[in-house]
Amino acid sequence: AQKVTQAQTEISVVEKEDVTLDCVYETRDTTYYLFWYKQPPSGELVFLIRRNSFDEQNEISGRYSWNFQKSTSSFNFTITASQVVDSAVYFCALSEADDSGAGSYQLTFGKGTKLSVIP
Amino acid sequence: KAGVTQTPRYLIKTRGQQVTLSCSPISGHRSVSWYQQTPGQGLQFLFEYFSETQRNKGNFPGRFSGRQFSNSRSEMNVSTLELGDSALYLCASSLPLAGGQNEQFFGPGTRLTVL
């Protein structure tokens, strides 16, 4: 069974500090997809990034960057120069490929990391 | 393009009652998934519908059911409500590509409180 672990329950940083959110996953499959979502206080989950298991290239998008390492089954997320608007709960999620090709799948989420950025 | 909409946004029910939640996916999205979010259990998958068929189901009792209509709108129903059913129920839609690779777009959720 697939599993996602986000060991950091809560993190507080001062504005402009860099912060890394950890994500470790477990899966039996060789083909899978990893996601990060942000949940602000309003409650709606906002998609941030998707990474497939065959692409270990790190990605940078503005102040956000992601480090995917299959050797350690980790998919960590770094926010550079954090801002108050980054305060939210961040979820890492895993989706395994559907062998039947029918496209049926489900996201397995970690418990989330609550990030508080203090001005 | 309108996002995923869920109605109602807030709901208060008493134990033993039943409830129906509604979800309208993004136009063109035919896959709709439902998740339950609680402080203790986090985000848990309930079920997924595609072309009016339930393709996948999480580990929830039979009191939780759902359906999807021909226009891809979906409803979920919880019968004989229990206090533990109090949660944020999130609906997500995605394009029907195979392989689990699609990002799911989430609605704002329905906050259900069972008294």
Side-chain angles (χ1 to χ4, degrees), chain A residues 22-41:
Chain A
D22 298 332
C23 172
V24 174
Y25 61 91
E26 295 176 28
T27 177
R28 299 167 299 181
D29 281 12
T30 56
T31 301
Y32 52 89
Y33 298 86
L34 295 162
F35 302 81
W36 275 94
Y37 283 86
K38 172 182 179 180
Q39 188 176 41

Side-chain angles (χ1 to χ4, degrees), chain B residues 21-56:
Chain B
L21 312 181
S22 181
C23 171
S24 292
I26 292 172
S27 177
H29 286 193
R30 292 165 58 195
S31 171
V32 174
S33 297
W34 289 88
Y35 294 84
Q36 181 197 63
Q37 185 176 23
T38 59
Q41 298 300 316
L43 277 154
Q44 293 185 290
F45 172 76
L46 279 158
F47 27 64
E48 188 238 352
Y49 286 88
F50 174 72
S51 289
E52 303 177 62
T53 300
Q54 185 183 91
R55 294 196 301 188
N56 202 354

Side-chain angles (χ1 to χ4, degrees), chain A residues 6-86:
Chain A
Q6 294 180 256
Q8 305 149 308
T9 306
E10 292 192 42
I11 300 177
S12 289
V13 297
V14 176
E15 200 171 20
K16 296 184 184 177
E17 284 185 345
D18 299 347
V19 58
T20 295
L21 310 182
D22 298 332
C23 172
V24 174
Y25 61 91
E26 295 176 28
T27 177
R28 299 167 299 181
D29 281 12
T30 56
T31 301
Y32 52 89
Y33 298 86
L34 295 162
F35 302 81
W36 275 94
Y37 283 86
K38 172 182 179 180
Q39 188 176 41
S42 61
E44 187 167 337
L45 282 165
V46 178
F47 166 78
L48 296 177
I49 189 172
R50 175 190 64 220
R51 173 68 67 219
N52 74 55
S53 53
F54 297 107
D55 182 2
E56 288 193 70
Q57 252 190 331
N58 292 331
E59 181 155 340
I60 298 174
S61 176
R63 296 184 297 106
Y64 295 170
S65 63
W66 290 269
N67 182 283
F68 176 33
Q69 292 193 341
K70 287 180 73 172
S71 59
T72 56
S73 297
S74 65
F75 186 43
N76 297 336
F77 173 30
T78 297
I79 302 174
T80 303
S82 59
Q83 300 176 1
V84 173
V85 293
D86 296 327

